[in-house]
Amino acid sequence: MRALLVANPAATTTSARTRDVLTHALASEMKLEAVTTEYRGHARDLGRKAAHEGLDLVVALGGDGTVNEVVNGLLHDGPDPERLPRLAVVPGGSTNVFARALGLPNDSVEATGALLDALRERRERTVGLGLAAGVPGTEDESVPSRWFTFCAGFGFDAGVVGRVEQQRERGKRSTHALYVRQLMRQFWEEPNRRHGTITLKQPGADPVTDLVLSIVCNTSPWTYLGNRPLYASPEASFDTALDVLALDRLSTPAVARYATQLLTSTPERGPHGKHALSLHDLTDFTLHSKVPLPFQMDGDHLGVRTSVRFTGVRRALRVIV
């Protein structure tokens, strides 16, 4: 088996020594090339090269951002599960939503052991992914399309992600407490929290207008707060297309209610109420805003957009589990 290990040296929960141990463990089972990323987008470039060279496996060692880059490299020319290298993930970030949603251990050493067991037993599954692209006829039509593995956000939650990234650039550690603080700041400074600017359009249905927040889920849980899973769209699955949770109001009472529902959410029940919209298994829809809003995918802030087209693609990539 020819394999490539893509390791992010800035991964939150792994050290250079840990990466060396994991590399040796994997190299004992396969013909392995290990590369440490050196710049933003390097993991994407490595994934694309691995796909073109016909490798059997690409292992992503890092957080959700590293995984996202590798996936976008692998799918640069489009999804082809039977031809493309399989993907394996060794979590090294602070949250590791994609790996945990696949049922992998959140510890890098344990996950490596599980990966080796899965390879010996030939355990894999084909997962669906989300694709976000510019909308023809809008100012964002030239924005390159990009794949995401577990979620995207347009509006409020993307603003929180952007604030967290700013704090990390200033040297702050990526902790759950940091996310909570930035969430509260985003809430108090959000100019559109009472009168939303987002419209959701899908074929064959009436538009849904005046949304403040829109979360697009490709799997469930949506994210984790420490060890607690949070279910924004409990029905979301790697085996279906995309789910959406949207809110049309973020007043103080509404935030208190939906935050409580989110913290107490289960695989059977997520946020609900008269200001919440939940949609399941959508293959094609667009989000438009009257004003530019922050946009994020897989926890990576991508700037501001006024419109995004989403496509849910079933059976896009084979993953070792």
Side-chain angles (χ1 to χ4, degrees), residues 157-177:
D157 82 299
V160 176
V161 171
R163 287 175 177 271
V164 170
E165 286 194 6
Q166 289 179 349
Q167 294 299 311
R168 292 186 65 182
E169 290 172 358
R170 295 170 185 168
K172 300 288 188 181
R173 283 180 54 82
S174 179
T175 64
H176 298 293

Side-chain angles (χ1 to χ4, degrees), residues 13 26 63 89 92 112 120 124 133 164 178 190 213 220 230 234 248 250 255 296:
T13 59
L26 293 170
V89 179
T112 301
R120 295 186 191 108
E124 63 180 59
V164 170
L178 176 64
E190 172 60 57
L213 173 153
S220 189
L230 304 182
D248 64 14
L250 283 179
V255 167
Q296 68 87 13

Side-chain angles (χ1 to χ4, degrees), residues 73 163 186 234 317:
R163 287 175 177 271
Q186 179 71 21
L317 188 66

Side-chain angles (χ1 to χ4, degrees), residues 3-321:
L4 171 68
L5 171 64
V6 179
N8 179 3
T12 308
T13 59
T14 56
S15 64
R17 184 174 183 179
T18 301
R19 289 194 297 272
D20 288 342
V21 171
L22 300 180
T23 300
H24 282 98
L26 293 170
S28 67
E29 299 288 336
M30 62 192 74
K31 183 179 180 181
L32 181 73
E33 178 187 2
V35 180
T36 300
T37 57
E38 299 176 356
Y39 54 86
R40 190 180 182 94
H42 194 185
R44 180 198 60 224
D45 295 342
L46 293 169
R48 181 181 180 183
K49 181 181 178 183
H52 287 172
E53 293 180 352
L55 297 188
D56 301 300
L57 176 70
V58 176
V59 182
L61 170 55
D64 289 310
T66 303
V67 174
N68 179 279
E69 284 197 11
V70 169
V71 166
N72 274 278
L74 290 173
L75 274 67
H76 179 269
D77 296 323
D80 189 346
E82 301 308 315
R83 179 188 63 83
L84 291 174
R86 290 167 292 170
L87 172 70
V89 179
V90 177
S94 58
T95 309
N96 308 305
V97 178
F98 182 65
R100 293 163 85 176
L102 288 170
L104 299 174
N106 197 35
D107 176 82
S108 56
V109 176
E110 291 183 13
T112 301
L115 166 59
L116 293 172
D117 288 342
L119 288 170
R120 295 186 191 108
E121 298 170 11
R122 301 181 180 275
R123 295 200 310 267
E124 63 180 59
R125 64 179 292 189
T126 303
V127 301
L129 298 171
L131 181 66
V135 180
T138 71
E139 60 187 75
D140 295 313
E141 66 179 340
S142 63
V143 175
S145 59
R146 180 163 171 170
W147 297 89
F148 60 96
T149 63
F150 65 91
C151 84
F154 188 45
F156 181 83
D157 82 299
V160 176
V161 171
R163 287 175 177 271
V164 170
E165 286 194 6
Q166 289 179 349
Q167 294 299 311
R168 292 186 65 182
E169 290 172 358
R170 295 170 185 168
K172 300 288 188 181
R173 283 180 54 82
S174 179
T175 64
H176 298 293
L178 176 64
Y179 274 89
V180 172
R181 289 196 301 271
Q182 299 311 312
L183 185 151
M184 295 305 300
R185 290 176 180 173
Q186 179 71 21
F187 170 70
W188 291 116
E189 298 177 19
E190 172 60 57
N192 305 304
R193 60 191 174 100
R194 291 184 180 274
H195 304 287
T197 65
I198 302 171
T199 296
L200 185 153
K201 297 181 179 180
Q202 57 174 318
D206 293 333
V208 183
T209 62
D210 302 327
L211 301 172
V212 179
L213 173 153
S214 52
I215 296 172
V216 182
C217 293
N218 185 51
T219 189
S220 189
W222 163 54
T223 191
Y224 292 81
L225 187 61
N227 291 322
R228 179 191 292 274
L230 304 182
Y231 299 89
S233 298
E235 290 186 286
S237 167
F238 288 128
D239 297 321
T240 60
L242 301 173
D243 283 27
V244 176
L245 170 68
L247 302 179
D248 64 14
R249 181 171 297 182
L250 283 179
S251 62
T252 302
V255 167
R257 178 168 60 255
Y258 293 120
T260 299
Q261 290 179 355
L262 192 57
L263 289 170
T264 58
S265 59
T266 68
E268 291 74 37
R269 192 168 179 81
H272 54 278
K274 66 178 182 178
H275 296 297
L277 170 71
S278 295
L279 300 172
H280 175 58
D281 198 17
L282 304 184
T283 57
D284 184 32
F285 63 97
T286 58
L287 295 174
H288 301 269
S289 174
K290 300 173 185 175
V291 299
L293 293 178
F295 179 57
Q296 68 87 13
M297 289 199 297
D298 287 349
D300 187 10
H301 186 263
L302 300 177
V304 296
R305 303 274 184 90
T306 56
S307 58
V308 187
R309 177 177 179 176
F310 291 92
T311 305
V313 181
R314 297 180 179 87
R315 298 185 57 79
L317 188 66
R318 291 183 298 167
V319 181
I320 303 298
V321 293

